[in-house]
Amino acid sequence: MANLLHISSLFHLFCLFHLVCVAKSQSFIGINYGQVADNLPAPEATAKLLQSTSIQKVRLYGSDPAIIKALANTGIGIMIGVANGDIPAMASDQNFANGWLTTNVLPFYPASKIIVINVGNEVMSTNDQNLMANLLPAMQNMQNALNEVSIGGKIKVSTVHSMAVMKQSDPPSSGSFDPNIGDLLKGLLEFNKATGSPFAINPYPFFAYRDDPRPDTLAFCLFQPNAGRVDAGSKIKYTNMFDAQVDAIRSALNAMGFKEVEIVIAETGWPYKGDSNEVGPSIENAKAYNGNLIAHLRSMVGTPLMPGTSVDTYLFAMYDEDLKPGPTSERSFGLFKPDLTMTYDIGLSKANNQVPTPKTPMTPSPEQAPKAPTTPSSGQMPRTPVTPSSNSTGTPATPVLVPTPNTTVTPVSPKTEKSVKAGVSDAQLQANINLGILVLSQILWYPMLLHM
């Protein structure tokens, strides 16, 4: 009997370990929760909705107390933000930083799981030299404020960048940062390295396709079957734009001597609707990008330069923001509607976290493709939510790996072609393989437990 109890305990311990691993494997899926809208559901309703999904992290652009409080005791990690307009005061006055922390964090933490404070949004792309120069001192004062109340090692301090900080991203191995902001960026990266905080950035394959609206580019951006694109420097073949952009960032960080600094994708997404002159927005394309991205992350394949791990990725966005300026696409990124139903299903529900097979990518009609991309009249970077107190501006994300006539490509292997015809993406295939290995490991463990 004792042996049976011992075996039973070990078996339950193994099952618990398995459940912990599965739960941990979803921790890289986050979502952006913008509020430039007048029709959003109550924060409490949103908190319940999030708990019904595999989303485990939320990024706020400010520090709305109602939302932070609604997320208390849910276990959901929260990124909050300091407005760009508050950076000069925070940089020049430690008391301002202390007061900001006292107001926006201490009343809610640790019941509300605040994990990162982002000081500013895309500041390094504003061309506001005063704001850019004040960014690092503001981050340092916020870190000092956290240290004073002994939570400096528990809540990280960072800032979010647009892809405009990149000078070169094609091919990924040549990734480098804009030398015009090199000194300032180096200081920020030294801060990231010293405090263990992430380098947060916003890559959007959507913008790359918008600037190169060809069918093969669309498939490359949507994680769908394509011949792949070879990096002439590293000889690595990339099969999707997301990995190429992330590896370009990794290469740029490595080249500056910051291999230890973690990358976090603070925003990425695809609009499901746009104006008649916008190339790429559609339900089919949005579902394909976001659904295949989630499958790719869940597969734990990683990128060629960071294999075997999935970078924390915050999808854009929770809801549409109907008060944002610019083209229709700016107001059409929401994965959920104000009535809490899904805009389209990408497998986020805990009840069914298998990503549905997306439809064939929508190829732009002849009258769409030649038209120039629409730029918001406000001059803001497409897709960046801006609160009234923020003065964030920027430029469109830099596309990577746009093919040239001499680009070497490798045909899709027969095995991959077979899986594609069956409606299974590479990421889904890998996820199924991983699941099979896990089941097999449990089968092999059972006889061993019987002999203990």
Side-chain angles (χ1 to χ4, degrees):
M1 178 64 71
N3 287 338
L4 287 175
L5 288 174
H6 180 60
I7 292 170
S8 177
S9 298
L10 286 173
F11 181 74
H12 283 93
L13 184 62
F14 176 79
C15 291
L16 179 61
F17 176 75
H18 166 57
L19 289 173
V20 169
C21 289
V22 170
K24 186 177 180 182
S25 71
Q26 301 293 299
S27 66
F28 41 72
I29 299 176
I31 198 164
N32 287 265
Y33 186 174
Q35 296 173 264
V36 188
D38 61 4
N39 62 348
L40 299 179
E44 294 78 12
T46 297
K48 289 181 181 178
L49 173 60
L50 285 168
Q51 288 179 287
S52 72
T53 73
S54 54
I55 297 167
Q56 293 197 10
K57 294 178 181 177
V58 171
R59 179 191 170 203
L60 307 180
Y61 292 85
S63 53
D64 188 309
I67 297 174
I68 296 173
K69 186 176 181 180
L71 292 170
N73 303 311
T74 62
I76 295 171
I78 311 168
M79 273 189 171
I80 61 175
V82 175
N84 288 7
D86 287 338
I87 289 174
M90 186 170 289
S92 62
D93 186 357
Q94 181 64 58
N95 289 329
F96 184 94
N98 295 348
W100 194 97
L101 187 71
T102 299
T103 300
N104 297 289
V105 175
L106 299 185
F108 314 106
Y109 182 84
S112 295
K113 190 179 174 182
I114 299 169
I115 55 176
V116 177
I117 299 172
N118 288 314
V119 178
N121 185 45
E122 300 188 347
V123 172
M124 300 305 289
S125 302
T126 62
N127 294 320
D128 183 329
Q129 297 302 315
N130 180 58
L131 198 62
M132 292 162 67
N134 277 302
L135 179 56
L136 178 57
M139 292 169 64
Q140 291 170 330
N141 281 346
M142 178 56 69
Q143 184 68 49
N144 292 338
L146 289 165
N147 292 343
E148 285 182 16
V149 292
S150 302
I151 54 176
K154 298 176 181 178
I155 300 176
K156 302 298 182 182
V157 176
S158 191
T159 189
V160 177
H161 303 281
S162 80
M163 283 292 282
V165 299
M166 301 288 290
K167 175 192 176 183
Q168 180 77 23
S169 55
D170 177 20
S173 62
S174 68
S176 61
F177 293 115
D178 182 354
N180 293 322
I181 59 172
D183 290 341
L184 291 174
L185 194 58
K186 184 178 180 181
L188 296 174
L189 290 170
E190 287 173 344
F191 176 90
N192 292 141
K193 180 179 178 180
T195 61
S197 65
F199 179 80
I201 191 164
N202 302 335
Y204 276 89
F206 166 68
F207 293 136
Y209 172 64
R210 187 193 65 178
D211 294 335
D212 177 30
R214 293 181 290 175
D216 62 325
T217 302
L218 183 59
F220 189 66
C221 289
L222 298 182
F223 299 84
Q224 291 184 326
N226 65 91
R229 301 180 181 183
V230 175
D231 183 325
S234 65
K235 308 304 179 186
I236 293 171
K237 185 179 77 171
Y238 285 86
T239 57
N240 67 81
M241 183 70 78
F242 180 82
D243 282 357
Q245 289 184 320
V246 173
D247 275 2
I249 298 161
R250 183 75 270 163
S251 294
L253 289 170
N254 293 354
M256 286 188 69
F258 294 98
K259 294 182 179 181
E260 308 92 337
V261 173
E262 174 193 4
I263 296 170
V264 163
I265 305 305
E267 282 182 32
T268 191
W270 199 287
Y272 65 85
K273 183 171 61 176
D275 295 321
S276 60
N277 65 341
E278 292 190 85
V279 178
S282 72
I283 285 280
E284 291 82 2
N285 290 347
K287 182 176 181 178
Y289 178 74
N290 288 310
N292 285 333
L293 171 60
I294 289 171
H296 184 58
L297 294 172
R298 284 175 174 163
S299 74
M300 300 299 289
V301 170
T303 72
L305 296 187
M306 295 183 290
T309 185
S310 290
V311 61
D312 282 6
T313 300
Y314 291 75
L315 304 171
F316 191 88
M318 189 79 197
Y319 304 112
D320 289 343
E321 295 175 85
D322 65 341
L323 299 182
K324 290 183 63 179
T328 297
S329 61
E330 284 291 289
R331 297 177 292 281
S332 306
F333 278 83
L335 297 178
F336 298 93
K337 299 176 183 178
D339 64 3
L340 306 178
T341 61
M342 294 180 289
T343 306
Y344 48 86
D345 187 5
I346 54 173
L348 287 174
S349 171
K350 282 181 179 177
N352 175 26
N353 62 8
Q354 294 297 315
V355 179
T357 303
K359 296 180 180 179
T360 304
M362 293 291 288
T363 303
S365 61
E367 65 271 16
Q368 276 186 312
K371 294 185 179 181
T374 303
T375 303
S377 58
S378 64
Q380 294 169 350
M381 174 184 174
R383 247 275 37 324
T384 304
V386 181
T387 59
S389 60
S390 170
N391 59 357
S392 172
T393 59
T395 56
T398 306
V400 302
L401 275 181
V402 175
T404 56
N406 61 352
T407 300
T408 304
V409 295
T410 304
V412 180
S413 69
K415 180 179 179 181
T416 303
E417 257 184 25
K418 184 177 180 181
S419 68
V420 168
K421 290 177 181 177
V424 182
S425 70
D426 288 342
Q428 288 170 306
L429 182 61
Q430 183 61 49
N432 290 339
I433 292 171
N434 290 345
L435 179 60
I437 292 172
L438 182 60
V439 172
L440 180 60
S441 69
Q442 292 189 44
I443 294 172
L444 293 175
W445 263 77
Y446 186 71
M448 294 172 63
L449 289 172
L450 292 175
H451 288 85
M452 286 184 179

